[in-house]
Amino acid sequence: MTAAAQVLLDVSPRSLARPLDYAVPSHLAGRVAVGTPVLVPLGSRIAVGYVVSLGPPSVDEGLRDLVEVLGEPLFDGVRWSSAQWIADEYACRPIEALRLFLPPGSTPKAVKEGDAWRLKRPTVSAATERIVELVLHDFQPPANAHRQRAVVAALQNGPLRVAELRAAIGDVDAAIRALQRHGVVVVTERRRWRSASAGLVREDRLHELTEAQQAAVAAIRDAAPGSVVLLDGVTGSGKTEVYMRAVDAVLREGKQAIVLVPEISLTPQTVGRFRARFGPRLAVLHSRLSDGERYDQWQMVASGEARLVIGARSALFAPVQDLGLIVIDEEHEPSYKQSSEPRYHARDVARRIAERHGAVLVLGSATPSIESLHAAEAGESTVVVLPERATGAAMPAVNVVDMTREFADGNRSMFSRALQSALDDVLGRRGKAVLFINRRGFASFVLCRECGFVPHCPSCSVSLTYHEDRGSLVCHHCGHSEALPSLCPRCRSPYLRRFGTGTQRVEAEISARWPDAPVIRMDADTTARKDGHESVLRRFEESPYGVLVGTQMIAKGLDYPEVELVGVVDADTGMHLPDFRATERTYQLLMQVSGRAGRGSRPGMVVVQTYWPDHPAIRAVVSGDRSELVARELEQRRELGYPPFGRLARVLVASPSRTTAESAAADIAADLTAVIPADWLLLGPTEPAIARLKGLFRRHIVLKAPPRAPLGRVIWTLLAERTPPDGTRIAVDVDPLEML
Ligand code: ADP
Ligand code: ZN
Ligand code: ZN
């Protein structure tokens, strides 16, 4: 009897979603292992697949042979079991889950070269670079050898590229040669990995840790393998420094680490700090890299040259060999949930991966999610608190302005009197301010003051956003664009007015009031280019004074000590969303953006403009005490069976025909009702808040179940057997973060 390989095919039909058995012919036996890409016969054609396990065949006869082995293993059994868990948990095909772990690049194709088959992938760049490492640590170059001294100082934290030294110090070639002669440094040549230099370059300051930071580092060091540490530290409390020390300790043990940040392009400072400290041992993985760049970074990890990976949620799947630590910075951020299949949440997947690899998971935030706070209360994680700013700076004072009163007092401007005078003050002193426009869910739309008409997208049920520079109305879902009509299409009134505040309007208003002040705008328009965020932030950093105006993009991770004032132009927008997390999100956003103020030597001030000053989120921001808010949220969610006291899943049906959407959703609901346990609840089918999107009619079904219920598995079992009508799409979202 021959051995068999269980092969997961890289093909789309749901009926082929489970691994198939193939016989391993003797001439290939030595090269087949878990993780190897292979070529297999499938009907009359051949297909690419991956060996996921080896063992006795399930049937003795009729097994077809593997055709070819296409390369070295790309994953191990632990990763395959994590992929299976993801597929099961989030109701997706196992190959979709496994793809998360595979090297980046388009769907694999096998190509024939002479007699041999191989897998077509982006090619690895052939260029090389030189790395300098300090080997003689107590050597002091002569006092007049400035370059040599600078090189030795720069290398104290670890090796650096010659190019990095040159950028920081100038022409270093002679100095390096001299140090090499004395045996102080060694220079090695290695393959140059594309895009190994992302991030705003920063000088690395090794601070003496505060007591709270020391306790945090110790708690992470002493945490049991597979356990979770929640680092609950106010903005500016030095969480990043704690992460870096914890990473350093893990690297010293010869292990590797993964650091997740919400979105790499929004956090160039954080990446820059890691780069300054860890130099060429760092790989960066994120979505704005080209295929080739991402492939290089992936290979850099797989080869073991990179000891540390930093990136957005997908970096979680990097091919590290010996994982010691996973850090999730700003763990409350919704961007950790993937919005396309597989719709996994990086926090939950990280917990499984940490368990399987015996690594420690650190969740850090100034505003931890209700879920993480509840898990901590239940004893599922160790909590470490950093109650104060690391620099000793005070938390900023928060000043709430009731905008209804402003209006009653005759102030029609978008800036309250308090915000105006604060801006006068800061700009008069040539200081820096940040103005935040809360646009989550709503953008500036146009409304007829006479009849209330709001222009909507013809194919999505959302209002159109007005773009000042183009003078046009744009749909943010499908890109549809049309000219702003001069008269209301419904009642012919000339009073079509813009509502909601756009970054451009704020920019224009500042320029009108403070004509000399530099205004830097950060929004989807100004950051569309590949390095857009970095260059906008660099302009703000380099500007001697001025105002940074932005959307939620600026709420994350910015650490500019010169910022004295943060103004929240419209705190309320997110409060009205049909979402049980609306209060939590509003609070998190306001706290995060307030935290950008007063990080330096001058005290910070925050002005929050709202039409709802008594809202619990606003009250918690003002008092700096979230305990009341958290208790209230937990109580409400317990009553309603919302997370963390229950689990939700959403099945969304979208079709070009309204009746097809309705009938397909009704069928699925009926079938689900027949199979779900008695303590689950099925709601719907109903029309979601966005009833039409990109020309498709939408219906959704919501399932509510106890914590840890196998929602994904139950839904998958039902849907795997079903072929949706032509043009109709079914999307499953387990643990959804929004259901618009
Ligand atoms: P967080 O990530 O919690 O917002 P950061 O790590 O960005 O905080 O630290 C905020 C600022 O404090 C940074 O400029 C950092 O360099 C500085 N900092 C961190 N730790 C210390 C320390 N122990 N002593 C002095 N300054 C520190
Ligand atoms: Zn009208
Ligand atoms: Zn549209």
Side-chain angles (χ1 to χ4, degrees):
M1 193 189 74
T2 49
Q6 284 76 52
V7 176
L8 189 69
L9 299 182
D10 204 326
V11 293
S12 43
R14 285 192 176 162
S15 53
L16 293 173
R18 296 281 154 203
L20 301 179
D21 272 6
Y22 287 92
V24 181
S26 53
H27 72 282
L28 294 180
R31 293 165 57 210
V32 175
V34 169
T36 36
V38 291
L39 218 50
V40 299
L42 179 66
S44 58
R45 62 188 181 105
I46 51 172
V48 174
Y50 303 95
V51 175
V52 294
S53 58
L54 291 160
S58 51
V59 289
D60 281 347
E61 281 165 47
L63 276 194
R64 300 176 76 180
D65 280 357
L66 295 180
V67 175
E68 187 56 279
V69 172
L70 295 172
E72 297 292 309
L74 296 171
F75 55 88
D76 56 17
V78 179
R79 287 193 165 75
W80 166 236
S81 87
S82 297
Q84 281 178 296
W85 181 83
I86 291 171
D88 225 34
E89 192 73 358
Y90 297 103
C92 73
R93 291 182 302 128
I95 187 68
E96 289 287 353
L98 183 62
R99 255 191 216 125
L100 296 168
F101 295 87
L102 297 176
S106 41
T107 314
K109 275 204 192 69
V111 289
K112 197 150 194 180
E113 283 178 350
D115 287 342
W117 287 91
R118 76 175 179 84
L119 208 53
K120 193 166 182 285
R121 294 256 178 219
T123 44
V124 175
S125 64
T128 58
E129 64 185 358
R130 287 183 301 149
I131 309 277
V132 191
E133 184 175 1
L134 194 64
V135 286
L136 206 62
H137 283 269
D138 43 12
F139 177 82
Q140 278 296 333
N144 60 351
H146 299 295
R147 290 265 150 92
Q148 290 187 38
R149 295 179 81 92
V151 169
V152 168
L155 293 174
Q156 291 299 334
N157 284 327
L160 289 173
R161 300 181 176 82
V162 173
E164 283 168 316
L165 287 168
R166 198 174 289 136
I169 299 167
D171 182 7
V172 287
D173 289 350
I176 291 173
R177 272 197 306 275
L179 291 168
Q180 241 179 320
R181 263 199 315 277
H182 289 107
V184 181
V185 303
V186 290
V187 179
T188 44
E189 190 118 343
R190 72 169 199 194
R191 194 154 76 194
R192 196 176 77 77
W193 309 98
R194 281 166 292 186
S195 197
S197 61
L200 283 176
V201 180
R202 306 239 110 198
E203 172 194 353
D204 190 28
R205 286 160 296 188
L206 254 187
H207 301 286
E208 196 173 316
L209 296 185
T210 63
E211 262 175 47
Q213 283 175 317
Q214 285 175 25
V217 173
I220 296 168
R221 185 194 56 217
D222 298 340
S227 71
V228 181
V229 175
L230 178 62
L231 182 58
D232 177 4
V234 298
T235 51
S237 58
K239 295 185 289 298
T240 312
E241 187 63 43
V242 171
Y243 307 149
M244 290 198 288
R245 300 293 176 115
V247 166
D248 190 54
V250 161
L251 300 199
R252 279 173 204 278
E253 287 172 27
K255 295 188 177 174
Q256 285 168 295
I258 295 173
V259 177
L260 302 189
V261 292
E263 227 175 299
I264 222 113
S265 55
L266 301 185
T267 47
Q269 284 190 310
T270 310
V271 178
R273 284 164 73 182
F274 275 91
R275 162 114 26 236
R277 183 136 336 156
F278 297 102
R281 292 174 294 172
L282 175 75
V284 180
L285 279 169
H286 62 92
S287 60
R288 285 200 181 197
L289 297 178
S290 70
D291 276 356
E293 289 170 329
R294 206 170 324 149
Y295 187 64
D296 270 17
Q297 295 295 304
W298 197 91
Q299 289 294 345
M300 193 176 154
V301 179
S303 70
E305 236 169 87
R307 308 305 299 164
L308 161 68
V309 193
I310 190 165
R313 55 177 185 265
S314 63
L316 193 50
F317 308 105
V320 290
Q321 296 306 305
D322 193 0
L323 185 62
L325 178 71
I326 304 175
V327 172
I328 303 188
D329 187 25
E330 310 290 11
E331 67 88 29
H332 64 279
E333 274 290 326
S335 60
Y336 285 121
K337 171 90 175 170
Q338 175 149 298
S339 57
S340 57
E341 198 176 301
R343 295 181 174 77
Y344 66 91
H345 198 301
R347 192 204 304 136
D348 298 322
V349 177
R351 192 171 303 129
R352 298 297 153 147
I353 289 184
E355 270 168 24
R356 289 203 159 89
H357 291 258
V360 171
L361 171 61
V362 174
L363 304 175
S365 177
T367 53
S369 59
I370 296 282
E371 281 88 347
S372 294
L373 288 171
H374 180 252
E377 245 173 48
E380 290 164 27
S381 56
T382 311
V383 186
V384 204
V385 180
L386 304 178
E388 280 158 10
R389 285 188 158 169
T391 54
M395 293 306 282
V398 181
N399 180 357
V400 171
V401 181
D402 181 345
M403 291 303 277
T404 55
R405 180 156 314 149
E406 287 290 310
F407 197 77
D409 290 351
N411 178 12
R412 302 288 141 100
S413 154
M414 68 173 84
F415 296 144
S416 60
R417 290 159 294 184
L419 185 52
Q420 285 173 28
S421 79
L423 277 167
D424 271 341
D425 190 35
V426 169
L427 292 176
R429 270 189 280 116
R430 295 176 73 82
K432 287 189 184 179
V434 168
L435 289 187
F436 171 67
I437 294 134
N438 184 2
R439 295 240 302 225
R440 186 176 164 252
F442 295 102
S444 61
F445 55 97
V446 167
L447 176 136
C448 171
R449 292 218 146 165
E450 298 206 52
C451 79
F453 174 81
V454 174
H456 276 64
C457 173
S459 44
C460 309
S461 62
V462 295
S463 55
L464 295 170
T465 304
Y466 182 62
H467 279 239
E468 191 112 43
D469 47 355
R470 284 179 269 170
S472 56
L473 295 166
V474 178
C475 171
H476 275 193
H477 285 290
C478 73
H480 165 87
S481 153
E482 59 187 66
L484 176 70
S486 52
L487 299 178
C488 170
R490 192 199 279 162
C491 75
R492 317 300 299 163
S493 155
Y495 296 107
L496 265 180
R497 286 290 158 81
R498 296 186 298 276
F499 262 73
T501 322
T503 45
Q504 294 167 358
R505 271 187 70 203
V506 174
E507 181 186 25
E509 181 120 355
I510 296 171
S511 302
R513 278 169 195 276
W514 296 276
D516 299 330
V519 186
I520 291 137
R521 180 157 62 87
M522 183 157 176
D523 57 22
D525 290 342
T526 62
T527 56
R529 288 200 352 261
K530 185 177 175 190
D531 62 345
H533 303 86
E534 247 174 85
S535 59
V536 170
L537 290 177
R538 196 171 301 123
R539 269 171 52 218
F540 184 57
E541 189 168 4
E542 286 166 1
S543 178
Y545 78 116
V547 188
L548 176 70
V549 177
T551 54
Q552 26 275 48
M553 290 180 184
I554 62 175
K556 294 166 200 174
L558 298 193
D559 181 31
Y560 292 121
E562 320 87 78
V563 174
E564 294 170 48
L565 170 68
V566 167
V568 180
V569 177
D570 49 353
D572 309 0
T573 1
M575 292 175 188
H576 307 292
L577 285 180
D579 174 359
F580 70 89
R581 290 191 177 89
T583 298
E584 178 189 2
R585 291 270 178 81
T586 303
Y587 166 75
Q588 287 165 343
L589 206 49
L590 294 180
M591 279 307 279
Q592 293 290 341
V593 73
S594 305
R596 307 306 122 208
R599 292 181 157 234
S601 50
R602 296 200 69 101
M605 167 158 166
V606 180
V607 177
V608 177
Q609 302 190 152
T610 176
Y611 287 90
W612 198 346
D614 285 337
H615 191 278
I618 304 273
R619 287 215 312 266
V621 171
V622 175
S623 66
D625 177 2
R626 64 170 182 238
S627 51
E628 198 185 315
L629 177 102
V630 171
R632 210 186 88 128
E633 284 294 303
L634 282 172
E635 165 140 5
Q636 281 183 0
R637 294 191 197 179
R638 190 193 300 273
E639 250 165 47
L640 297 170
Y642 281 135
F645 303 100
R647 268 192 110 175
L648 300 174
R650 174 209 215 194
V651 181
L652 181 76
V653 179
S655 171
S657 141
R658 184 194 299 269
T659 48
T660 311
E662 281 170 5
S663 63
D667 287 353
I668 293 173
D671 291 357
L672 276 172
T673 307
V675 297
I676 59 172
D679 58 348
W680 295 20
L681 200 65
L682 183 140
L683 309 165
T686 53
E687 211 169 56
I690 298 178
R692 232 183 131 202
L693 192 63
K694 296 179 185 159
L696 300 179
F697 292 90
R698 293 149 50 97
R699 304 283 286 177
H700 72 181
I701 299 155
V702 175
L703 288 175
K704 219 176 196 183
R708 283 183 276 279
L711 279 164
R713 196 177 318 145
V714 168
I715 297 172
W716 172 260
T717 308
L718 194 112
L719 292 183
E721 306 298 316
R722 181 184 291 266
T723 328
D726 255 3
T728 300
R729 273 182 273 165
I730 299 171
V732 180
D733 193 355
V734 177
D735 303 334
L737 285 190
E738 63 190 355
M739 297 193 281
L740 295 178

